[in-house]
């Protein structure tokens, strides 16, 4: 069995690549829930939905999130009323949040509801929230953020939720700290620790180390479980030649004092990862990564290029002689 520690877009692409070369019944994804939010009284789980929609080939290709063939009638009504519309919920996507919220109000946990949604999309893999308990990524601003017609100005030192940072303020403000509210009192979701202990191979997907992978590791028990299985843990670097393919991972690493490079990723991951896969653009860093005590595999990792996804998936699997 392969267990993938996953955030949003980059992880969804990695999972899609793996499912090209192994049966979905062999794959379990442990997905970040630190991006989750409650809005309009609805429970919204962006990374769970991005993984599900992508693997169901139903992701909105323009945005990388939400559903394809989407309409925005509900959102336009919110705009007409001056309601909250900065977080775009399409009419089809709303169905997912309505279903999830209703099932949770009936007493189902997030793992159960996620399994129902994943199977309704006809997917065979196991998608597990890192925790069913409340866990929210919070970021502290490193500088003042002037207001605009959507939101009030904030001074340096203010703490906001991940989505207020990422979407409302377009992650365009530097951060000085990241915190995972609720981490100390949450439990790993059902099946999560078993999926780590029983895996033949564990893959840290090319997601943002700071706000997609770290919140999963912050759930008590998960980091230790990965450390115990370090010899079968392989990570794919989300940073290529000092930059992230999408989103603020490189900037957040620098803003928080890490080196925004494959070496910085290796330093963040070395306690629980034994093999780091880096892009050929970073081949010069292989020796330095090995000196940190990790195996280092150099290959093409930009999955948007044709054929790279499958070859990368095979390279990842080779690490476990699968
Ligand atoms: N990202 C945006 O940049 N703008 C949005 O309006 C937006 C809405 C949205 C709705 C549902 C959903 O599942 C994801 C959504 N995202 C949006 C992406 C979201 O911010 C994710 O957390 C990021 O992709 C980071 O993983």
């Amino acid at each position: 069995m392969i267990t993938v520690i996953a955030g949003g877009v980059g992880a969804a692409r990695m999972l899609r690549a793996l499912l090209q070369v192994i049966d979905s019944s062999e794959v379990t994804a442990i997905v970040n829930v630190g991006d989750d939010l409650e809005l309009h009284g609805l429970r919204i789980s962006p990374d769970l939905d991005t993984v599900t929609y992508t693997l169901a080939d139903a992701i909105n290709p323009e945005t990388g999130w939400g559903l394809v063939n989407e309409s925005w009638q509900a959102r336009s009504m919110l705009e007409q009323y001056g309601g909250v519309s900065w977080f775009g919920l399409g009419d089809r996507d709303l169905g997912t949040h309505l279903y999830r919220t209703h099932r949770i109000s009936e007493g189902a946990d997030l793992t159960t509801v996620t399994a129902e949604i994943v199977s309704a999309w006809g997917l065979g893999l196991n998608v597990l929230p890192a925790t069913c308990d409340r866990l929210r990524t919070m970021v502290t601003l490193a500088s003042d953020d002037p207001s605009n017609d959507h939101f009030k100005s904030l001074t340096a030192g203010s703490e906001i939720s991940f989505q207020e940072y990422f979407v409302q303020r377009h992650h365009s403000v530097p951060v000085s700290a990241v915190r995972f509210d609720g981490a100390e009192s949450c439990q790993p979701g059902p099946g999560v620790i078993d999926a780590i202990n029983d895996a033949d191979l564990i893959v840290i997907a090319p997601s943002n180390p700071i706000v997609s992978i770290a919140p999963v590791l912050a759930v008590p028990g998960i980091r230790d479980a990965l450390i115990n299985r370090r010899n079968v843990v392989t990570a794919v670097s989300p940073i290529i030649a000092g930059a992230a393919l999408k989103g603020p991972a490189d900037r957040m690493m620098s803003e928080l004092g890490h080196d925004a490079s494959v070496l910085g990723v290796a330093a963040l991951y070395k306690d629980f990862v034994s093999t780091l896969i880096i892009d050929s653009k970073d081949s010069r860093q292989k020796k330095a990564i090995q000196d940190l005590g990790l195996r280092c595999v150099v290959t093409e990792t930009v999955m948007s290029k044709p054929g790279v996804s499958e070859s990368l998936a095979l390279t990842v699997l080779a690490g476990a002689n699968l």
Side-chain angles (χ1 to χ4, degrees), residues 289-307:
I289 290 167
Q290 290 170 325
D291 291 348
L292 278 177
L294 292 95
R295 280 182 62 224
C296 183
V297 176
V298 181
T299 188
E300 286 302 306
T301 64
V302 180
M303 288 181 269
S304 53
K305 291 181 189 164

Side-chain angles (χ1 to χ4, degrees), residues 7-9 35 44-47 49-50 53 64-66 75 85-90 93 97 162-163 166-167 170 212 246:
V9 177
D35 291 8
I44 301 164
S45 299
D47 282 349
D49 292 345
T50 298
Y53 292 166
W65 48 265
R75 190 185 198 181
S85 62
W86 60 268
F87 194 77
L89 295 173
D93 189 36
H97 312 311
F162 173 77
Q163 299 297 352
F166 188 84
V167 176
H170 307 295
S212 296
K246 181 178 165 94

Side-chain angles (χ1 to χ4, degrees), residues 218-230:
V219 176
I222 292 185
R223 186 185 188 93
D224 289 343
L226 288 171
I227 289 171
N228 286 338
R229 302 294 322 278
R230 181 179 182 275

